[in-house]
Amino acid sequence: MPGMVLFGRRWAIASDDLVFPGVFELFVRVLWWIGILTLYLMHRGKLDCPGGVLLSSYLIVLIILLAVIICTVSAIVCVSMKGTICNPGPRKSMSKLLYVRLALFLPEMVWASLGAAWIEDGVQCDRTVGNGIIATVAVSWIIIASTVVTIVIVFDPLGGKMAPYPPAGPHHLDSCESSQLLNGLKTAATSVWETRIKFLCCCVGKDDRTRVAFSSTAELFSTYFSDTDLVPSDIAAGLALLHQQQDSIRNNQEPDEVVSHSPGPSQEADLDAELENCHHYMQFAAAAYGWPLYIYRNPFTGLCRIGGDCFRSRTTDYDLVGGDQLNCHFGSILQTTGLQYRDFIHVSFHDKVYELPFLVALDHRKESVVVAVRGTMSLQDILTDLSAESEPVDLECEVQDCWAHKGISQAARYVYRRLINDGILSQAFSIAPEYRLVIVGHSLGAGAAALLTIMLRSPYPRVRCYAFSPPRGLLSKSLYEYSKTFIVSLVLGKDVIPRLSVTNLEDLKRRILRVIAHCNKPKYKILLRACWYELFGGHPEDLPTELDGGDLTQPLLGERSLLAHGSPAYSFSSDSPLESPTKYPPLYPPGRIIHLEEVGTSGRFSCYPAARYSVKWSHESEFSKILIGPKMLTDHMPDILMRALDSVVSDRAACVSCPTQGGSSVEVA
């Protein structure tokens, strides 16, 4: 539901968010109350000492005060359990209870201070009583400090600007007034987000590119978040509901309902060949991450294998550049690729906003010059990722409407300048003129590699690109179609990044708003069931929603109530297309897409669950929605992708008689 309004401002917490913290506080308070009551009953005969009357009074008043606090917190928990996310009517007394609860902090603080002062005065009583009172004072201040920290966390800097809706509802606002309110809120939100990002990235630097990235990121966040009135727990509940809804739809879907977008037989014929190429070149994409990924993949033996290289002096015949610990990086690169020092033309771990590390090597096995661009591994890379507005790309080709992700386009342009202007590619092809150019990368590096390949298409017509887990929001439609002839993308499972774009995020926001608005269960039950479902499984058909009618077709609050001042660009129809902001038009992933999709189920608690994957060519439309699931993040990890590729390729090679159709499955050990 919309955030609570206390002291005339909105807070980033809802009235149904107090169940779990309230239960925890009740647990601590009840134990504390029982302990103090036991202490008083067992030792009240020992309080006939100088100052004992004060200590006796202190314990009695504290017992009474704690009892009142326990009753108040119990009432808060009971009220917070009522209603639903969009039906806050049964919780209308929550603000009064919170005022009472906050008011009780004053006597608690005063009494804790008096108790500390009396103990400090050296009251001559039983030592056990004194230690018990010292403990009660300490616990009092710990709880008070925890409450202050919680208040700081749920403080919303924009809360004072969230004017309440008129009684008639937000849709009755004058359109001009609504637009002014929304624009003012967005401007304030952009300023707040920029301040937050600068604070979090204070060590990144303050050059012009960084400042541009700060502004772009802040505008993206304000565009996405400023027109909704949701608190973080609402989003968590919405994601949990969407996951169960998604699983329910998939379980009930008939086989003939599945629409196939697989390419024709000519593309199916080269699936095995392209899979083998992906398996080979993924080693270079992983090597570009340097020693952190290598140590992560080999936690017990990795440091021993590359430790000697970290202290080796830099002696090489080629122009190898980079930052600190280049030799540690180089040792891991050699171990990952299996190449020799002499096979590398250039290695750069220079890392700034819009400037990515990359390496250039001679791959004699495939007779290719390989350029591998590193994926996201630093705050600078994250800022590059989040500079998500579109910008025109100047290319030497006849493609119209060439638009691309701004941050990734800038990063690709930087690598392009280094390769061409610094003569790196010329040096490589002077050594191996008959080799062809192959550009690879993972995640952010995959996006930069795809754009770099398009930029190099004119001088190097034979160039190929293998993009592993590339972002969806990368290329305009025309560039996506153009890239199909020379770029192959590989996506694993429910990986969120190949489905991630501003358009898809808007779609996800709309789906969250819709499922929340039609929720017929309290939020705490949704979150508890979501935890159980993720840990132990269950039946996704038991959805706590009424999306197709029922008793909740007219909830007290609807989708519009979850929008800040009625965002005019938001569409409430589930079938209507989304209106993308002009700076964020729909963008698409690069090239043809190979999808490794897990089939069947594996144990939730097994350390090495056996998984089976279907391998097929997929159309970009199959990645037009963000899928919710526990593997949406892990499927993006390069080590997981490498492990799946290892098993898929080895099993397909072993099973010579297996069918090569797109739906063939293999066992992952």
Side-chain angles (χ1 to χ4, degrees):
M1 67 162 290
M4 282 192 301
V5 177
L6 295 173
F7 303 107
R9 66 176 299 118
R10 178 192 181 276
W11 297 77
I13 189 172
S15 58
D16 53 356
D17 284 339
L18 302 174
V19 176
F20 299 118
V23 168
F24 178 75
E25 184 179 357
L26 269 180
F27 176 76
V28 174
R29 295 279 186 181
V30 169
L31 287 182
W32 184 13
W33 184 81
I34 293 174
I36 294 175
L37 182 61
T38 303
L39 176 69
Y40 176 74
L41 294 177
M42 292 180 62
H43 297 277
R44 59 182 174 180
K46 300 178 182 179
L47 296 177
D48 53 350
C49 56
V53 176
L54 287 178
L55 296 184
S56 178
S57 302
Y58 173 80
L59 290 175
I60 293 173
V61 173
L62 185 59
I63 290 171
I64 297 173
L65 182 60
L66 281 177
V68 175
I69 292 175
I70 289 172
C71 292
T72 305
V73 175
S74 299
I76 290 174
V77 171
C78 291
V79 172
S80 186
M81 289 180 172
K82 297 179 179 180
T84 63
I85 297 177
C86 285
N87 183 14
R91 302 190 298 272
K92 60 185 179 182
S93 60
M94 179 61 74
S95 58
K96 298 182 179 64
L97 289 172
L98 286 177
Y99 287 137
V100 172
R101 176 66 190 92
L102 292 173
L104 289 173
F105 273 114
L106 181 60
E108 187 177 10
M109 293 173 64
V110 170
W111 209 243
S113 302
L114 288 175
W118 290 337
I119 292 297
E120 185 67 23
D121 287 342
V123 176
Q124 303 298 320
C125 285
D126 184 76
R127 191 62 183 169
T128 304
V129 178
N131 291 337
I133 294 177
I134 291 175
T136 61
V137 172
V139 172
S140 296
W141 283 108
I142 289 173
I143 292 180
I144 292 170
S146 302
T147 303
V148 172
V149 171
T150 302
I151 291 174
V152 171
I153 292 174
V154 301
F155 177 78
D156 185 357
L158 298 173
K161 302 180 183 296
M162 299 290 287
Y165 297 128
H171 52 284
H172 284 271
L173 285 171
D174 178 74
S175 59
C176 180
E177 180 184 358
S178 175
S179 177
Q180 291 177 352
L181 286 171
L182 189 60
N183 289 336
L185 179 62
K186 183 178 177 181
T187 301
T190 302
S191 177
V192 169
W193 277 111
E194 188 164 356
T195 301
R196 289 171 173 170
I197 294 167
K198 287 180 178 178
F199 175 76
L200 292 174
C201 304
C202 57
C203 59
V204 170
K206 297 183 179 179
D207 55 74
D208 290 339
R209 284 192 165 193
T210 304
R211 283 191 286 268
V212 170
F214 285 158
S215 299
S216 297
T217 305
E219 186 167 355
L220 172 65
F221 284 165
S222 63
T223 298
Y224 187 71
F225 291 109
S226 64
D227 63 343
T228 58
D229 197 7
L230 298 175
V231 299
S233 61
D234 293 336
I235 298 175
L239 292 174
L241 292 172
L242 284 178
H243 181 207
Q244 297 172 54
Q245 181 188 72
Q246 163 192 302
D247 288 352
S248 177
I249 293 174
R250 186 180 68 249
N251 291 347
N252 294 329
Q253 191 174 36
E254 296 295 334
D256 56 0
E257 294 180 27
V258 179
V259 180
S260 175
H261 297 282
S262 298
S266 61
Q267 292 190 359
E268 290 294 344
D270 66 348
L271 178 59
D272 281 331
E274 293 295 9
L275 265 178
E276 199 280 328
N277 286 333
C278 287
H279 178 251
H280 176 76
Y281 288 115
M282 182 61 201
Q283 310 299 320
F284 291 88
Y289 283 98
W291 66 263
L293 178 60
Y294 184 78
I295 296 296
Y296 177 76
R297 292 182 61 211
N298 305 276
F300 301 110
T301 61
L303 189 59
C304 297
R305 292 178 182 176
I306 68 173
D309 293 319
C310 294
F311 305 101
R312 183 180 301 172
S313 60
R314 300 182 189 178
T315 57
T316 176
D317 297 333
Y318 299 109
D319 178 25
L320 300 176
V321 300
D324 295 334
Q325 298 179 315
L326 173 61
N327 290 324
C328 288
H329 285 306
F330 215 161
S332 66
I333 291 171
L334 296 177
Q335 291 286 340
T336 302
T337 60
L339 301 182
Q340 304 295 321
Y341 275 87
R342 62 179 179 271
D343 296 325
F344 287 88
I345 305 299
H346 190 90
V347 178
S348 171
F349 279 90
H350 169 79
D351 189 11
K352 293 181 67 177
V353 177
Y354 303 153
E355 298 177 3
L356 299 178
F358 67 97
L359 62 87
V360 181
L362 299 177
D363 177 20
H364 302 296
R365 178 184 165 190
K366 292 286 188 179
E367 296 187 347
S368 57
V369 174
V370 180
V371 179
V373 187
R374 196 190 75 181
T376 303
M377 249 190 90
S378 66
L379 289 175
Q380 292 93 326
D381 299 336
I382 293 174
L383 289 173
T384 301
D385 281 316
L386 294 176
S387 297
E389 63 262 38
S390 298
E391 70 171 13
V393 183
D394 185 15
L395 300 173
E396 297 180 5
C397 62
E398 298 180 355
V399 179
Q400 301 296 322
D401 298 323
C402 295
W403 292 80
H405 182 291
K406 174 184 174 181
I408 300 178
S409 174
Q410 294 286 332
R413 183 66 62 182
Y414 161 77
V415 180
Y416 176 86
R417 289 195 301 266
R418 295 292 310 278
L419 293 175
I420 301 300
N421 297 345
D422 294 355
I424 298 174
L425 285 184
S426 298
Q427 181 183 356
F429 283 104
S430 67
I431 300 172
E434 72 281 6
Y435 283 13
R436 71 171 183 176
L437 179 61
V438 177
I439 304 176
V440 302
H442 173 265
S443 188
L444 169 62
L451 276 168
L452 178 62
T453 304
I454 295 174
M455 295 174 184
L456 291 170
R457 176 75 167 164
S458 179
Y460 297 94
R462 296 175 57 207
V463 66
R464 295 281 294 175
C465 174
Y466 292 93
F468 303 97
S469 306
R472 176 179 176 83
L474 183 65
L475 305 175
S476 61
K477 185 70 171 180
S478 56
L479 277 181
Y480 156 68
E481 296 291 346
Y482 172 70
S483 68
K484 285 183 177 180
T485 58
F486 54 91
I487 296 179
V488 172
S489 294
L490 183 74
V491 178
L492 175 62
K494 295 182 179 180
D495 187 353
V496 66
I497 300 302
R499 297 173 170 85
L500 194 62
S501 66
V502 176
T503 304
N504 282 9
L505 282 174
E506 287 292 334
D507 171 73
L508 178 65
K509 179 170 66 176
R510 178 172 69 172
R511 287 190 287 151
I512 289 176
L513 290 174
R514 186 163 188 260
V515 76
I516 285 177
H518 294 81
C519 177
N520 60 14
K521 297 291 183 183
K523 187 190 299 180
Y524 79 94
K525 288 187 177 180
I526 297 173
L527 296 177
L528 283 175
R529 188 182 187 282
C531 292
W532 180 272
Y533 183 77
E534 297 298 340
L535 291 174
F536 305 105
H539 298 286
E541 289 79 9
D542 301 332
L543 277 171
T545 54
E546 294 290 345
L547 291 176
D548 300 321
D551 297 332
L552 203 65
T553 54
Q554 294 291 333
L556 184 60
L557 293 178
E559 292 171 71
R560 289 186 181 273
S561 68
L562 301 173
L563 296 171
H565 307 297
S567 174
Y570 184 81
S571 172
F572 294 94
S573 171
S574 60
D575 300 321
S576 60
L578 289 171
E579 297 181 14
S580 300
T582 54
K583 296 185 70 173
Y584 306 103
L587 297 178
Y588 301 85
R592 296 182 297 161
I593 303 172
I594 298 176
H595 190 199
L596 307 183
E597 188 173 14
E598 186 175 353
V599 295
T601 57
S602 57
R604 292 178 181 258
F605 296 106
S606 176
C607 294
Y608 300 98
R612 294 174 59 85
Y613 289 93
S614 64
V615 185
K616 65 176 182 178
W617 291 108
S618 294
H619 191 267
E620 60 83 17
S621 60
E622 297 184 38
F623 306 92
S624 60
K625 283 185 180 294
I626 295 175
L627 301 181
I628 310 301
K631 294 186 177 181
M632 61 187 294
L633 298 179
T634 57
D635 280 347
H636 185 69
M637 299 298 292
D639 61 310
I640 303 295
L641 181 57
M642 292 176 74
R643 192 183 308 154
L645 268 175
D646 288 342
S647 297
V648 167
V649 171
S650 63
D651 287 351
R652 289 177 76 92
C655 185
V656 178
S657 61
C658 287
T660 58
Q661 280 75 15
S664 59
S665 300
V666 294
E667 182 80 15
V668 176

